[in-house]
Amino acid sequence: MQITVKIKRFDPEKDKRSRWTEYRLEANPMDRVLDVLNEIKWEQDGSLSYRRSCAHGICGSDAMLINGVNRLACKVLIKDLGNDIAIEPIRGLPVEKDLIVDMESFFDSYEAVLPYFINDDPVPAGERLQSPEEREIFDASTKCILCACCTTSCPVFWVNGRYLGPAAIVNAHRFIFDSRDRGTDQRLEVLNQPNGLWRCRTAYNCTEACPRDIPVTKAIEDVKRVLLWRTS
Amino acid sequence: MKRAHRYDVIVVGAGGAGLMAARYAAQNPNVSVAVISKLYPTRSHTGAAQGGVGAALGNITEDRPEWHAFDTIKGGDYLTDQDVAEAFAYEVIDAVYELEHMGLPFSRTPDGRIAQRKFGGHTREFGKSAVERACYAADRTGHMILQTLYQQSIKDNVTFFNEFHVLDIVIVDGECRGVVAFELATGELHTFHAKSTVIASGGNGRMFKVTSNAHALTGDLMSVVYRRGIPIEDPEFYQFHPTGLYRIGVLLTEGARGEGGILRNGSGERFMERYAPTIKDLAPRDMVSRAMYFEIRDGNGVGPDKDYIHLDLTHIDREIIESRLPDITEFARIYLGVDPVTEPVPVQPTAHYAMGGIPTNIDTEVIRDGNDTVVPGLYAAGEVACASLHGANRLGTNSLGDLIVFGRRAGVNAARFAAASPYGELPKTVQDYTHELLQRLRHGLGKEKVAHIRKELQTTMMDHASVFRTQETLSRQVEILRELKERYQSVGVEDGGQQYNTELMEAVELGFLLDNAEQLVHGALNRTESRGAHSREDYKERDDDSWLKHTLIYREGDGVRIDFKPVTLGKYEPKPRVY
């Protein structure tokens, strides 16, 4: 099928502001958007820049705003978009070049919630025990690939870039609800700060944007409840 | 000198092996450590591993490390160095518990232990029946390992240089003194002066058309060291995973067969019963991939062109599929529009894993010849390295085990060496080679497109040097590679910019891939036997009298030189490989 792809481009060495460029090409309905971007880069315009690696929704490199929705370019097919496709960088992070954004502040927020296992008890000879039911409680939040689809779809984050954002909170959830972890108090202290958890206005954009089907808003609500319980 | 850095230990690559190495190096209080990665660490391809990490924990049924060692050696068609396999099978148990102690969310048994399942080639009592050895976290075990190790690196405050692409290694007087890297964000070159360098940069599957490998897996460091006189060991042994999604190659874990999935041909027959009567669909990958091609060649394939095979999960409970194999279920639904719960999934073998790589001894020290001469200050671990744990064919789950066991060894040993050594002097011209390499590409004639050469490389490698090989196909491929390398001299890069010049990096990576293909094809042409993943139709038998030895390929002038290294044997005598 013949498709038209409009891409919002920005060359930091030439452009003062971003500009739309249009490409026409032949595509297979089963092609991924990433395949189409590759086709453009490899055959029409080598300077088009974007991040990509695994090409099947696991590495989290290629989050983009595709026809108005945050998605991974490797996880959405042309047949589901139609003949006219518009691609922009994800919002709320500084654009470096074309579809590449500066991810540093995103990772800073992630690191702020102490996204690592905390338990200073002596380790057993074998594994720590955990029942399948205890494991299930935080299963969804272990799926996070840090692609930033959720955080950069959040209207609160667009207005206030210092808001920790849904991705960081999901990763806090992953440890807070892990029966083996002992770091909840430290994490809640971070989440309780002015740019923490309470900024969430339950817009649900994050849940809709998540390419891993994590119920992000629910995870945020779960953490809010823990915080209320602890502080009341 | 521009952009100079100095760390006692430099780790190249931030997947499982690199992060493990960095963690262990950093535990030595006497050394400074930094990790250089061409991707953000969480984008590394360790994250795409699915099925599990093999360790004889015995959580489901009795298991023993000696059985695991034996399976690894037999699975490697006796090219595995037996001392390496034995050390590995014991250490991996400890390493898996350690991951759990770092918080890795393994799936659990009803009594709360790490869940385990069956996997190809893993057996009890030296081949009697399949055993549950793969410790898993649903079908995203690699993702959980990568996330857990990255999380620990944040806790440990590890220094990262993300989106820095290592393009050269500094070897002076036979010892390694660091690396030269290209910073993607600025286009600047950086020199990293180090006492120890650990290479953990992953594989090279992008030389093939159908692959499970990420775009980033272009064999960079296997080429970089090769250009600097270090040989590559056993490059002819390249694994094709049996179950890649038809045409696009995305991996569907062997764990699907571990959970009871069955491969069926065009007439619905469970054909693996004929090829491996005891463990059937759970035979090692090389055997299953060949069996699939035999079926297709005999007209027993599936589909209008009879060119694929069915992976059938439809007899397994929906709940088990959704809970233990959620990701691959989603891949089949999204990319092929097939629901594995109700329909069989079209699959074909997909280029997956390099058994060969940068030669190391059991302590992960890089060696430069058949006499095990060490390159001081240089270490390698993970897929990029060849210890040789996997021999001629890797067993499923042993790649993740390899990362954590040998990543750890590399970190410890690199730090110990660095703590006891002074910095060697760097030549003033240290960046010249890389600078010229980039200038040549930036100002190339532009007669040729990178994408076109790469596509031809991938197609011809698939046709001539994949699952089956002959003198004729390999000789033809030698000629094709010569021509492609010639044409590569006149590629051009349209993007003249400095910042995020991903086009320039793709051009550099193509050069690396061409070197990797050269290593593989020459190794394969030279080895006139069939062993493990290397299957010569004109030499169908394994020939232990002539070929029970490792290949070492050196670059020499415009061509290659081939040498050999003995296999470390042990208590297991090479026997015919039946399952």
Side-chain angles (χ1 to χ4, degrees):
Chain A
M1 61 194 274
Q2 184 74 27
I3 59 169
T4 305
V5 185
K6 268 173 42 184
I7 302 176
K8 199 175 198 178
R9 302 205 46 186
F10 173 69
D11 180 342
E13 295 168 60
K14 288 183 188 153
D15 299 332
K16 286 213 169 64
R17 62 175 73 176
S18 55
R19 59 194 155 84
W20 287 95
T21 307
E22 202 173 284
Y23 303 91
R24 278 171 221 277
L25 67 157
E26 193 62 34
N28 186 312
M30 293 301 281
D31 281 345
R32 298 161 269 200
V33 168
L34 179 60
D35 296 321
V36 165
L37 288 172
N38 286 338
E39 182 70 15
I40 293 170
K41 182 175 182 64
W42 296 342
E43 296 297 340
Q44 296 193 25
D45 187 344
S47 69
L48 177 65
S49 298
Y50 47 93
R51 291 192 177 100
R52 84 287 181 272
S53 193
C54 80
H56 65 287
I58 292 299
C59 78
S61 298
D62 59 353
M64 301 168 188
L65 189 63
I66 300 171
N67 284 2
V69 183
N70 272 4
R71 311 171 193 245
L72 299 178
C74 62
K75 224 176 163 180
V76 52
L77 305 188
I78 300 305
K79 71 177 171 63
D80 298 321
L81 295 173
N83 301 77
D84 293 304
I85 299 168
I87 306 175
E88 304 168 56
I90 46 179
R91 289 185 182 151
L93 294 170
V95 176
E96 298 273 13
K97 182 180 180 184
D98 296 341
L99 302 169
I100 296 176
V101 299
D102 180 352
M103 299 286 286
E104 290 303 323
S105 69
F106 173 80
F107 279 102
D108 287 347
S109 295
Y110 166 71
E111 292 184 19
V113 302
L114 317 178
Y116 41 77
F117 189 67
I118 298 174
N119 183 332
D120 296 329
D121 299 344
V123 294
E127 65 268 64
R128 290 188 167 94
L129 299 181
Q130 182 171 57
S131 72
E133 295 73 27
E134 289 169 327
R135 169 65 180 76
E136 181 60 28
I137 295 170
F138 66 103
D139 186 66
S141 48
T142 67
K143 293 181 180 173
C144 176
I145 55 175
L146 298 168
C147 64
C149 274
C150 60
T151 296
T152 61
S153 71
C154 173
V156 178
F157 177 77
W158 294 337
V159 177
N160 173 9
R162 283 178 301 170
Y163 168 44
L164 285 175
I169 301 171
V170 161
N171 281 282
H173 177 280
R174 176 253 170 274
F175 290 101
I176 290 169
F177 286 88
D178 185 335
S179 58
R180 303 166 298 169
D181 186 86
R182 302 284 176 269
T184 298
D185 289 344
Q186 292 158 262
R187 284 190 198 95
L188 290 182
E189 206 174 299
V190 178
L191 293 166
N192 202 21
Q193 285 168 8
N195 286 314
L197 195 58
W198 304 113
R199 293 273 165 193
C200 170
R201 292 286 179 270
T202 56
Y204 279 91
N205 284 18
C206 51
T207 302
E208 281 166 27
C210 179
R212 301 285 289 150
D213 293 329
I214 302 169
V216 182
T217 314
K218 180 181 176 297
I220 296 173
E221 293 299 301
D222 289 346
V223 178
K224 282 182 184 170
R225 263 193 291 277
V226 173
L227 190 51
L228 276 176
W229 180 255
R230 291 264 176 146
T231 50
S232 64
Chain B
M1 191 187 308
K2 278 198 296 184
R3 308 284 164 194
H5 311 263
R6 182 182 263 207
Y7 292 91
D8 296 333
V9 179
I10 284 288
V11 179
V12 182
L19 293 177
M20 200 72 177
R23 173 176 169 77
Y24 273 86
Q27 284 179 4
N28 186 323
N30 302 315
V31 301
S32 57
V33 183
V35 180
I36 309 174
S37 172
K38 77 171 176 177
L39 304 171
Y40 272 89
T42 58
R43 316 307 185 208
S44 304
H45 207 56
T46 296
Q50 299 168 353
V53 47
L57 308 187
N59 284 354
I60 310 292
T61 52
E62 187 196 358
D63 198 4
R64 296 182 191 168
E66 57 265 40
W67 299 345
H68 188 186
F70 170 76
D71 289 339
T72 300
I73 293 161
K74 181 181 173 186
D77 218 350
Y78 297 91
L79 196 70
T80 296
D81 285 330
Q82 297 197 10
D83 54 339
V84 174
E86 297 232 3
F88 166 77
Y90 284 88
E91 278 179 41
V92 75
I93 295 174
D94 186 43
V96 165
Y97 286 137
E98 191 189 359
L99 288 175
E100 199 282 333
H101 298 157
M102 291 180 207
L104 195 143
F106 283 106
S107 296
R108 298 286 168 158
T109 64
D111 60 349
R113 301 192 168 275
I114 294 171
Q116 295 187 279
R117 63 180 159 212
K118 293 173 181 170
F119 237 79
H122 289 281
T123 71
R124 54 181 292 114
E125 293 178 71
F126 310 104
K128 281 206 177 137
S129 59
V131 71
E132 293 87 349
R133 186 176 290 146
C135 310
Y136 65 93
D139 57 352
R140 54 176 186 281
T141 314
H143 166 77
M144 293 320 333
I145 289 178
L146 183 66
Q147 293 288 325
T148 301
L149 291 174
Y150 183 61
Q151 290 157 1
Q152 290 295 312
S153 72
I154 293 170
K155 190 177 184 181
D156 297 343
N157 216 1
V158 173
T159 302
F160 286 99
F161 291 86
N162 296 330
E163 297 187 327
F164 276 61
H165 202 143
V166 171
L167 302 183
D168 193 18
I169 187 161
V170 185
I171 296 196
V172 182
D173 298 335
E175 60 181 48
C176 181
R177 295 184 182 169
V179 299
V180 176
F182 175 87
E183 183 183 9
L184 189 64
T186 62
E188 286 176 312
L189 290 182
H190 294 247
T191 301
F192 290 86
H193 192 185
K195 296 175 181 176
S196 295
T197 301
V198 179
I199 300 176
S201 52
N204 53 12
R206 281 281 153 181
M207 73 173 107
F208 292 102
K209 182 178 162 198
V210 177
T211 178
S212 64
N213 281 203
H215 284 286
L217 291 176
T218 48
D220 303 359
L221 269 292
M222 295 189 209
S223 168
V224 163
V225 301
Y226 178 66
R227 292 175 184 183
R228 291 293 177 187
I230 291 167
I232 294 297
E233 181 174 349
D234 294 339
E236 64 269 37
F237 297 101
Y238 196 89
Q239 178 168 85
F240 278 71
H241 190 293
T243 54
L245 279 185
Y246 178 51
R247 289 215 173 104
I248 61 173
V250 168
L251 180 68
L252 299 184
T253 175
E254 195 168 293
R257 282 170 283 141
E259 297 289 355
I262 290 170
L263 292 167
R264 297 189 189 281
N265 62 20
S267 48
E269 184 204 5
R270 184 182 194 181
F271 58 89
M272 281 310 299
E273 284 179 330
R274 281 188 273 118
Y275 296 90
T278 307
I279 56 176
K280 304 182 180 79
D281 301 272
L282 288 174
R285 291 173 178 171
D286 57 332
M287 299 178 81
V288 179
S289 286
R290 274 196 294 277
M292 290 167 72
Y293 271 117
F294 284 135
E295 292 301 305
I296 290 168
R297 191 185 291 184
D298 292 346
N300 295 331
V302 190
D305 299 325
K306 297 190 172 191
D307 61 347
Y308 59 85
I309 293 293
H310 268 153
L311 174 63
D312 183 4
L313 307 179
T314 57
H315 53 288
I316 303 172
D317 283 350
R318 171 185 287 270
E319 199 180 304
I320 289 190
I321 295 178
E322 304 262 9
S323 66
R324 297 188 195 167
L325 303 167
D327 282 1
I328 64 156
T329 302
E330 189 186 33
F331 299 154
R333 285 173 183 158
I334 291 181
Y335 298 118
L336 294 185
V338 169
D339 185 354
V341 175
T342 55
E343 304 160 85
V345 184
V347 293
Q348 72 177 100
T350 183
H352 188 56
Y353 189 88
M355 270 70 74
I358 300 169
T360 74
N361 59 24
I362 194 169
D363 293 315
T364 68
E365 295 169 302
V366 172
I367 54 178
R368 64 179 319 140
D369 57 34
N371 302 320
D372 287 351
T373 307
V374 166
V375 181
L378 188 57
Y379 301 79
E383 187 174 348
V384 75
C386 180
S388 154
L389 172 64
H390 309 301
N393 171 63
R394 174 174 71 74
L395 289 190
T397 77
N398 275 356
S399 57
L400 292 178
D402 182 346
L403 302 183
I404 54 178
V405 167
F406 292 98
R408 181 164 71 174
R409 280 184 172 231
V412 170
N413 294 334
R416 191 184 297 142
F417 179 84
S421 312
Y423 279 99
E425 213 173 300
L426 284 184
K428 290 214 163 36
T429 55
V430 69
Q431 292 186 351
D432 289 4
Y433 169 85
T434 314
H435 182 74
E436 280 161 28
L437 172 84
L438 296 176
Q439 286 302 104
R440 211 161 50 234
L441 289 167
R442 277 187 187 279
H443 304 295
L445 291 174
K447 278 200 306 199
E448 296 281 352
K449 268 187 184 297
V450 166
H452 295 172
I453 296 177
R454 185 174 51 214
K455 193 172 177 185
E456 280 184 50
L457 170 71
Q458 292 165 336
T459 308
T460 55
M461 285 298 287
M462 203 76 190
D463 290 344
H464 299 144
S466 58
V467 174
F468 291 109
R469 299 149 176 190
T470 66
Q471 165 98 26
E472 195 194 333
T473 64
L474 293 166
S475 303
R476 196 180 316 152
Q477 192 62 16
V478 166
E479 286 309 312
I480 289 169
L481 289 177
R482 195 168 293 152
E483 185 204 309
L484 292 179
K485 285 183 95 159
E486 186 67 37
R487 286 170 53 192
Y488 178 68
Q489 297 306 315
S490 38
V491 296
V493 174
E494 293 169 37
D495 189 341
Q498 295 294 325
Q499 301 177 32
Y500 289 95
N501 195 332
T502 53
E503 188 191 12
L504 178 62
M505 280 306 100
E506 285 194 24
V508 175
E509 288 172 335
L510 174 60
F512 292 153
L513 275 181
L514 286 165
D515 283 350
N516 279 258
E518 172 182 280
Q519 295 155 5
L520 186 152
V521 169
H522 281 279
L525 180 60
N526 191 58
R527 185 175 283 270
T528 50
E529 66 155 356
S530 289
R531 181 187 298 272
H534 173 63
S535 187
R536 285 283 300 255
E537 291 194 281
D538 41 0
Y539 297 91
K540 291 191 170 160
E541 301 301 320
R542 193 176 81 198
D543 176 2
D544 288 333
D545 291 338
S546 309
W547 288 107
L548 189 57
K549 56 188 178 186
H550 297 291
T551 301
L552 292 176
I553 302 243
Y554 294 81
R555 165 154 290 173
E556 199 162 84
D558 285 339
V560 302
R561 175 167 67 84
I562 299 181
D563 198 2
F564 301 98
K565 190 167 95 68
V567 175
T568 307
L569 296 172
K571 52 175 122 150
Y572 304 111
E573 283 290 307
K575 283 187 187 152
R577 195 158 152 257
V578 287
Y579 285 92

